[in-house]
Structures are given as structure tokens and as C-alpha cells.
Amino acid sequence: QVGDCGAIAIANSLQYLVQLQDISLYFNHCQVGDASAIAIASSLQKLQQLQQVDLDFRYTQVGDCGAIAIANSLQYLVQLQDISLYFNHCQVGDASAIAIASSLQKLQQLQQVDLDFRYTQVGDCGA
């Protein structure tokens, strides 16, 4: 099972794939948390040719710090057309949902958005 060390190693290698247009990372049911999400966010923002992003953190320990880092990285992905973010059964709350919503508003090329915050601490404010 992948943990933070493995996920961070993957994240660190991604930053060199600057021509990448499509990325799917599935960490559902893995032992990853905020450190992994922050490392992935750091690499994502360097991949400015990305058109499709699919990140699956279901049933992990990712919380607001990691999800907000992911949200902040999205604003650099100006070519992004399709995004799927899955945080259900994570420790994220309203701050994460608001940060993601704010970043998505800046992405002019977006055509499809799929967000999953089921079974999180996202309340009325974040919805």
C-alpha cells in the first residue's frame, strides 16, 4: 500500500514531465495525507500544459492543508479543460471546498468538473 513516502516520490518525479497533458493519480484507500497532497500540488503547478487532471484521495488522511494546496496549484493550469477531484471520506471541510471553488473560477478553459466531497466536513458554507 502506498504511503506518504511513495506518493511524495511520485510527486517529485512529476515536476519534470512539463509536456504532460493528462494525469490521473489514484490514492484511494492508501496511507497518504496532507504531506502527499502538498507535494503533488507543488509538482502540478509546474505542469502548465495539463488539460485533464484526475486526483482520487478517497478514504485517505488528506485534510484541509492538502486540499487547499491542491486548490492553490490549480490556478497555474490555465490549459485545464477537465478536472475530477475526489475527497470523499477525507478530513476536508469548508475551507477546502471554498479554495477549490475559487481556483476553478479562474480556469477559463474548463469544460468539465467532477467534485466529490461526500462524507467530509464540508457544510452549507462550503457547498
Short mmCIF file of all heavy atoms in Angstrom, two decimals, residues 2-34:
data_model
loop_
_atom_site.label_atom_id
_atom_site.label_comp_id
_atom_site.label_asym_id
_atom_site.label_seq_id
_atom_site.Cartn_x
_atom_site.Cartn_y
_atom_site.Cartn_z
N VAL A 2 0.54 2.20 -0.82
CA VAL A 2 1.32 3.43 -0.95
C VAL A 2 1.07 4.32 0.26
O VAL A 2 -0.07 4.51 0.69
CB VAL A 2 0.93 4.18 -2.24
CG1 VAL A 2 1.65 5.52 -2.32
CG2 VAL A 2 1.24 3.34 -3.46
N GLY A 3 2.15 4.85 0.81
CA GLY A 3 2.08 5.81 1.91
C GLY A 3 2.64 7.14 1.46
O GLY A 3 2.90 7.36 0.27
N ASP A 4 2.84 8.04 2.43
CA ASP A 4 3.35 9.37 2.10
C ASP A 4 4.70 9.32 1.37
O ASP A 4 4.91 10.06 0.42
CB ASP A 4 3.47 10.23 3.36
CG ASP A 4 2.14 10.85 3.77
OD1 ASP A 4 1.32 11.17 2.89
OD2 ASP A 4 1.93 11.03 4.98
N CYS A 5 5.59 8.47 1.80
CA CYS A 5 6.92 8.41 1.15
C CYS A 5 6.80 8.07 -0.33
O CYS A 5 7.44 8.70 -1.17
CB CYS A 5 7.82 7.41 1.87
SG CYS A 5 8.35 7.95 3.49
N GLY A 6 5.99 7.08 -0.65
CA GLY A 6 5.81 6.70 -2.05
C GLY A 6 5.11 7.78 -2.86
O GLY A 6 5.51 8.07 -3.99
N ALA A 7 4.08 8.36 -2.29
CA ALA A 7 3.34 9.41 -3.00
C ALA A 7 4.21 10.65 -3.23
O ALA A 7 4.14 11.27 -4.29
CB ALA A 7 2.08 9.78 -2.23
N ILE A 8 5.02 10.98 -2.25
CA ILE A 8 5.92 12.14 -2.40
C ILE A 8 6.97 11.86 -3.47
O ILE A 8 7.31 12.75 -4.27
CB ILE A 8 6.54 12.52 -1.04
CG1 ILE A 8 5.45 13.10 -0.13
CG2 ILE A 8 7.70 13.50 -1.21
CD1 ILE A 8 5.86 13.27 1.32
N ALA A 9 7.47 10.64 -3.53
CA ALA A 9 8.44 10.27 -4.57
C ALA A 9 7.81 10.41 -5.96
O ALA A 9 8.43 10.94 -6.89
CB ALA A 9 8.94 8.85 -4.34
N ILE A 10 6.56 9.94 -6.08
CA ILE A 10 5.84 10.09 -7.36
C ILE A 10 5.68 11.57 -7.69
O ILE A 10 5.94 12.01 -8.81
CB ILE A 10 4.48 9.38 -7.30
CG1 ILE A 10 4.68 7.87 -7.25
CG2 ILE A 10 3.60 9.79 -8.47
CD1 ILE A 10 3.43 7.08 -6.90
N ALA A 11 5.25 12.35 -6.71
CA ALA A 11 5.05 13.79 -6.91
C ALA A 11 6.34 14.46 -7.36
O ALA A 11 6.32 15.29 -8.29
CB ALA A 11 4.53 14.43 -5.63
N ASN A 12 7.44 14.12 -6.73
CA ASN A 12 8.71 14.75 -7.08
C ASN A 12 9.14 14.43 -8.50
O ASN A 12 9.78 15.25 -9.16
CB ASN A 12 9.80 14.36 -6.08
CG ASN A 12 9.60 15.00 -4.73
OD1 ASN A 12 8.93 16.01 -4.60
ND2 ASN A 12 10.16 14.39 -3.70
N SER A 13 8.80 13.27 -9.00
CA SER A 13 9.17 12.91 -10.37
C SER A 13 8.29 13.61 -11.41
O SER A 13 8.71 13.85 -12.53
CB SER A 13 9.12 11.40 -10.57
OG SER A 13 7.80 10.94 -10.52
N LEU A 14 7.06 13.94 -11.03
CA LEU A 14 6.12 14.56 -11.97
C LEU A 14 6.58 15.92 -12.47
O LEU A 14 6.31 16.28 -13.62
CB LEU A 14 4.75 14.70 -11.33
CG LEU A 14 4.00 13.42 -11.01
CD1 LEU A 14 2.71 13.76 -10.28
CD2 LEU A 14 3.71 12.64 -12.28
N GLN A 15 7.23 16.67 -11.64
CA GLN A 15 7.58 18.05 -11.99
C GLN A 15 8.47 18.15 -13.24
O GLN A 15 8.56 19.21 -13.84
CB GLN A 15 8.24 18.74 -10.81
CG GLN A 15 9.56 18.15 -10.38
CD GLN A 15 10.08 18.79 -9.13
OE1 GLN A 15 9.90 19.98 -8.93
NE2 GLN A 15 10.72 18.00 -8.29
N TYR A 16 9.08 17.06 -13.63
CA TYR A 16 9.95 17.07 -14.80
C TYR A 16 9.21 16.72 -16.09
O TYR A 16 9.79 16.80 -17.17
CB TYR A 16 11.12 16.09 -14.59
CG TYR A 16 11.92 16.43 -13.36
CD1 TYR A 16 11.81 15.67 -12.21
CD2 TYR A 16 12.74 17.56 -13.33
CE1 TYR A 16 12.52 15.99 -11.06
CE2 TYR A 16 13.45 17.89 -12.19
CZ TYR A 16 13.34 17.11 -11.07
OH TYR A 16 14.04 17.45 -9.93
N LEU A 17 7.96 16.37 -15.99
CA LEU A 17 7.18 15.98 -17.16
C LEU A 17 6.39 17.17 -17.69
O LEU A 17 5.17 17.15 -17.80
CB LEU A 17 6.24 14.82 -16.79
CG LEU A 17 6.92 13.60 -16.16
CD1 LEU A 17 5.88 12.58 -15.72
CD2 LEU A 17 7.92 12.99 -17.11
N VAL A 18 7.10 18.21 -18.06
CA VAL A 18 6.48 19.50 -18.36
C VAL A 18 5.59 19.49 -19.61
O VAL A 18 4.78 20.39 -19.78
CB VAL A 18 7.54 20.63 -18.48
CG1 VAL A 18 8.20 20.86 -17.13
CG2 VAL A 18 8.56 20.30 -19.54
N GLN A 19 5.70 18.48 -20.44
CA GLN A 19 4.84 18.38 -21.63
C GLN A 19 3.58 17.55 -21.37
O GLN A 19 2.74 17.40 -22.27
CB GLN A 19 5.62 17.80 -22.80
CG GLN A 19 6.79 18.65 -23.24
CD GLN A 19 6.37 20.05 -23.65
OE1 GLN A 19 5.39 20.23 -24.38
NE2 GLN A 19 7.09 21.05 -23.19
N LEU A 20 3.44 17.03 -20.17
CA LEU A 20 2.30 16.18 -19.82
C LEU A 20 0.99 16.94 -20.00
O LEU A 20 0.85 18.08 -19.56
CB LEU A 20 2.45 15.72 -18.37
CG LEU A 20 1.66 14.51 -17.92
CD1 LEU A 20 2.09 13.27 -18.72
CD2 LEU A 20 1.87 14.28 -16.44
N GLN A 21 0.02 16.30 -20.63
CA GLN A 21 -1.28 16.92 -20.87
C GLN A 21 -2.41 16.27 -20.08
O GLN A 21 -3.47 16.86 -19.90
CB GLN A 21 -1.62 16.89 -22.35
CG GLN A 21 -0.70 17.74 -23.19
CD GLN A 21 -1.07 17.71 -24.65
OE1 GLN A 21 -2.02 17.07 -25.08
NE2 GLN A 21 -0.31 18.42 -25.46
N ASP A 22 -2.19 15.06 -19.60
CA ASP A 22 -3.24 14.29 -18.93
C ASP A 22 -2.62 13.54 -17.76
O ASP A 22 -1.62 12.84 -17.95
CB ASP A 22 -3.84 13.31 -19.95
CG ASP A 22 -5.02 12.53 -19.42
OD1 ASP A 22 -5.22 12.48 -18.19
OD2 ASP A 22 -5.74 11.94 -20.23
N ILE A 23 -3.20 13.70 -16.58
CA ILE A 23 -2.68 12.99 -15.41
C ILE A 23 -3.82 12.43 -14.58
O ILE A 23 -4.82 13.10 -14.37
CB ILE A 23 -1.76 13.88 -14.56
CG1 ILE A 23 -1.04 13.05 -13.51
CG2 ILE A 23 -2.51 15.04 -13.94
CD1 ILE A 23 0.11 13.78 -12.85
N SER A 24 -3.65 11.19 -14.17
CA SER A 24 -4.60 10.53 -13.28
C SER A 24 -3.79 9.90 -12.15
O SER A 24 -2.92 9.07 -12.41
CB SER A 24 -5.39 9.45 -14.01
OG SER A 24 -6.18 10.01 -15.04
N LEU A 25 -4.08 10.30 -10.93
CA LEU A 25 -3.42 9.75 -9.76
C LEU A 25 -4.48 9.24 -8.80
O LEU A 25 -5.32 10.01 -8.34
CB LEU A 25 -2.56 10.82 -9.07
CG LEU A 25 -1.40 11.38 -9.87
CD1 LEU A 25 -0.75 12.54 -9.12
CD2 LEU A 25 -0.37 10.31 -10.17
N TYR A 26 -4.44 7.96 -8.53
CA TYR A 26 -5.42 7.32 -7.67
C TYR A 26 -4.75 6.84 -6.38
O TYR A 26 -3.96 5.90 -6.43
CB TYR A 26 -6.09 6.14 -8.39
CG TYR A 26 -6.77 6.54 -9.66
CD1 TYR A 26 -6.16 6.35 -10.89
CD2 TYR A 26 -8.03 7.13 -9.62
CE1 TYR A 26 -6.80 6.73 -12.07
CE2 TYR A 26 -8.66 7.52 -10.79
CZ TYR A 26 -8.04 7.32 -12.02
OH TYR A 26 -8.66 7.70 -13.18
N PHE A 27 -5.06 7.50 -5.29
CA PHE A 27 -4.51 7.13 -3.99
C PHE A 27 -5.60 6.64 -3.04
O PHE A 27 -5.36 6.55 -1.84
CB PHE A 27 -3.78 8.32 -3.36
CG PHE A 27 -2.54 8.72 -4.10
CD1 PHE A 27 -2.52 9.86 -4.88
CD2 PHE A 27 -1.39 7.95 -4.04
CE1 PHE A 27 -1.38 10.23 -5.58
CE2 PHE A 27 -0.25 8.31 -4.72
CZ PHE A 27 -0.24 9.45 -5.50
N ASN A 28 -6.78 6.34 -3.57
CA ASN A 28 -7.88 5.94 -2.69
C ASN A 28 -7.49 4.69 -1.89
O ASN A 28 -6.82 3.80 -2.37
CB ASN A 28 -9.18 5.73 -3.46
CG ASN A 28 -9.08 4.77 -4.60
OD1 ASN A 28 -8.10 4.73 -5.31
ND2 ASN A 28 -10.11 3.98 -4.80
N HIS A 29 -7.87 4.74 -0.61
CA HIS A 29 -7.58 3.68 0.35
C HIS A 29 -6.09 3.52 0.65
O HIS A 29 -5.67 2.49 1.15
CB HIS A 29 -8.17 2.33 -0.10
CG HIS A 29 -9.66 2.29 -0.04
ND1 HIS A 29 -10.34 2.07 1.14
CD2 HIS A 29 -10.59 2.44 -1.00
CE1 HIS A 29 -11.64 2.08 0.88
NE2 HIS A 29 -11.82 2.32 -0.41
N CYS A 30 -5.28 4.52 0.33
CA CYS A 30 -3.84 4.47 0.64
C CYS A 30 -3.57 5.24 1.94
O CYS A 30 -4.41 5.99 2.42
CB CYS A 30 -3.02 5.07 -0.49
SG CYS A 30 -2.99 4.02 -1.97
N GLN A 31 -2.40 5.07 2.45
CA GLN A 31 -2.00 5.72 3.70
C GLN A 31 -1.31 7.05 3.40
O GLN A 31 -0.17 7.28 3.78
CB GLN A 31 -1.05 4.80 4.48
CG GLN A 31 -1.68 3.48 4.88
CD GLN A 31 -2.89 3.69 5.78
OE1 GLN A 31 -2.83 4.43 6.74
NE2 GLN A 31 -3.98 3.03 5.47
N VAL A 32 -2.00 7.92 2.67
CA VAL A 32 -1.45 9.22 2.33
C VAL A 32 -2.22 10.31 3.06
O VAL A 32 -3.38 10.14 3.41
CB VAL A 32 -1.45 9.48 0.81
CG1 VAL A 32 -0.60 8.45 0.09
CG2 VAL A 32 -2.86 9.48 0.25
N GLY A 33 -1.55 11.44 3.27
CA GLY A 33 -2.16 12.56 3.96
C GLY A 33 -1.77 13.88 3.34
O GLY A 33 -1.44 13.95 2.14
N ASP A 34 -1.78 14.91 4.16
CA ASP A 34 -1.51 16.26 3.66
C ASP A 34 -0.14 16.39 3.02
O ASP A 34 0.01 17.09 2.01
CB ASP A 34 -1.64 17.27 4.80
CG ASP A 34 -3.08 17.53 5.20
OD1 ASP A 34 -3.98 17.36 4.36
OD2 ASP A 34 -3.32 17.91 6.35
#
